Each structure stands twice: as C-alpha cells, then as structure tokens.
Amino acid sequence: MQSSDLMPFARRAYRLARTEFAVLGALLIIAFGIMTFIEVADDMTEADGQAFDQMVLSALRPFADDPGRPWGPWWLKEAAADLTSLGGISVLTLFAAIVIVFLISQRKRLSALLLVLGLIGGVALSEGLKAVFARARPPAIYQATETINASFPSGHALLSAVFYLSLGVMLTRAFPEKHFKAYVLGVAILIALLVGLTRIYLGAHWASDVFAGWSVGAAWAMALWLVSYAIERRQKTHHAALQDAPSPTAESGSVA
C-alpha cells in the first residue's frame, strides 16, 4: 500500500470501527433493557418492590389533608401536566405525522417506514404488556391526572422513549459535528426522562411502571436502529428503491 492510500484507508477503517462500536452499544442497550424489565416485573410482585413504589408515592404526597396534591408549588403540578402530554398518544401521533411527512419529502423513505412501524410496535408492546400484567393504578385519591387502562408498564414512558430516541438517532445523521450529535441525543433522552418522571409525580403510575416503560422503550428503539442499519447496508448493496437518500453532508464527504 502506497503512502497516498494510507489516509483514505485509515478513514474507512475508523468509520467501520465506529459503526461496529455503535452496533455493539445498541445490542448492549437491548440486553440491558430486557433484563431490567424482567427484574422490575419480578420485583413488582414482591413486598420490597411494592414497598418502594408506595414510599415514592407517599413522598410525593406529603399533605395528609389533601392526598391528591403533589409536593411542590402549584405551578409545578401545572408544568408536569403540560410536560406529561409529550408522551401522550395524541401528541406523539401529531409529531410523528409531521416528522414522517418531512422524511418522505427528503426522500428518507426507509426512516419514515421504520418510524411508523416503531410506533405501531410500541403501542402493541404497551397494550400487550398491560393486558398480561393487569396491574392496578395508584389509588384514585392520589392521582392528579386522568388515567385509563392498566398501569404496568407506563405507556407514556415506553412510547416517549421509542419516539424521541428513534427521532434523536435519525437526526444525528444530519449533524457531522460530535457536539451537535450529543446535544440532539441529550435532548431526546431528557424529554423521555421528563415524561416518565411526570407520570410518577402526577400519581398516574407507580415508579416501577415507569422504569419498566423506559427499559422496554429504549430496547425497542435500539432494535429499530439495528433493523434500519441492517436494511440500509443490504439495500445500498442491491440498489433497492426503499432506502434513505444521502443527506447533503454525506454527499459532500462528511461522516454522520
């Protein structure tokens, strides 16, 4: 190999190593998410797990004369009610429709399809697991927001993790700079965390419900990314129609 070929070879090797590291990281997140869910589901039925859930709920409801009033100033409850809607199915459907139209307009057909399948799969996981475990919500006297169906796992926590993490991973492809990638992923994680925390704060879920929702949602989001990665590699090789068009940064030689 000539010296003039060393730099291009080194760059290709670095890109490959970084991609394979990302794949390994996604697999680890999937495995950790599944194991965490199993552990939380097991603890949920035991005395220690139930005592922890009750302790968290009681700590957030310190007013004996008004059990439905959460800890903190009045505006914190209002803020939590606003933020929790970011994980609601209506808001997520609206956001998803906006993002999907944008992705299609940018010829990102594969990402659009996977986002649709991801949300449908997330809803199916949420409703299916709720039906299996059929856990009761915290007592209505403690709830500061309206709730429906079973409690475990938290659908808001699960779906917000699926949507915002998937969207964050997609957006990182558009930013070649590492600090922008970190910012986008950080915002996605922050929103998912806030949605889950507000469900606990408002008394809509036990703490373990939210932990379970986060773990399943993160695992499902990473599984979607792995599917996207595998399909993209195969389709680019076979020049298939259903694939994402390269972004301007990729076309100019930048690495997402």
Side-chain angles (χ1 to χ4, degrees):
M1 180 180 296
Q2 298 179 356
S3 58
S4 60
D5 297 329
L6 288 178
M7 287 304 296
F9 174 79
R11 284 195 292 267
R12 287 194 298 270
Y14 172 73
R15 287 197 296 268
L16 178 62
R18 189 173 63 175
T19 300
E20 297 305 322
F21 179 78
V23 170
L24 177 60
L27 289 171
L28 289 175
I29 292 174
I30 293 172
F32 181 75
I34 293 173
M35 289 188 295
T36 300
F37 177 81
I38 293 173
E39 182 66 24
V40 172
D42 183 58
D43 289 344
M44 176 191 70
T45 61
E46 298 179 352
D48 288 346
Q50 293 173 356
F52 172 76
D53 282 334
Q54 187 61 54
M55 179 189 69
V56 173
L57 181 63
S58 298
L60 294 173
R61 296 293 185 277
F63 307 103
D65 60 331
D66 188 4
R69 177 186 170 193
W71 170 88
W74 66 269
W75 56 262
L76 188 58
K77 176 184 173 182
E78 298 300 319
D82 291 338
L83 291 172
T84 203
S85 63
L86 293 174
I89 190 66
S90 299
V91 173
L92 289 178
T93 300
L94 174 62
F95 285 176
I98 294 171
V99 173
I100 289 166
V101 170
F102 173 76
L103 289 172
I104 293 174
S105 70
Q106 297 297 308
R107 296 185 298 153
K108 306 289 185 180
R109 294 182 293 271
L110 177 59
S111 291
L113 176 62
L114 288 174
L115 187 58
V116 171
L117 294 178
L119 283 175
I120 293 175
V123 172
L125 277 172
S126 175
E127 295 304 313
L129 290 170
K130 284 177 181 291
V132 169
F133 290 96
R135 187 186 195 185
R137 297 266 184 171
I141 194 172
Y142 294 113
Q143 296 180 25
T145 185
E146 294 293 328
T147 59
I148 57 173
N149 60 36
S151 191
F152 186 91
S154 167
H156 278 65
L158 192 159
L159 292 176
S160 62
V162 171
F163 179 76
Y164 294 113
L165 291 182
S166 297
L167 186 58
V169 171
M170 289 178 188
L171 288 176
T172 57
R173 300 177 182 178
F175 298 102
E177 295 86 358
K178 291 182 179 180
H179 62 281
F180 280 128
K181 292 178 183 289
Y183 175 76
V184 169
L185 283 177
V187 169
I189 293 171
L190 176 62
I191 295 175
L193 290 176
L194 284 174
V195 169
L197 291 175
T198 58
R199 302 308 286 170
I200 300 173
Y201 180 77
L202 294 171
H205 283 286
W206 304 102
S208 57
D209 300 339
V210 171
F211 298 155
W214 280 335
S215 61
V216 174
W220 182 238
M222 290 302 99
L224 289 173
W225 181 84
L226 285 176
V227 170
S228 173
Y229 172 73
I231 292 176
E232 276 191 321
R233 291 194 63 174
R234 178 175 178 80
Q235 290 188 335
K236 284 181 179 179
T237 302
H238 294 81
H239 304 288
L242 184 59
Q243 58 178 296
D244 288 347
S247 60
T249 54
E251 290 176 340
S252 61
S254 299
V255 180

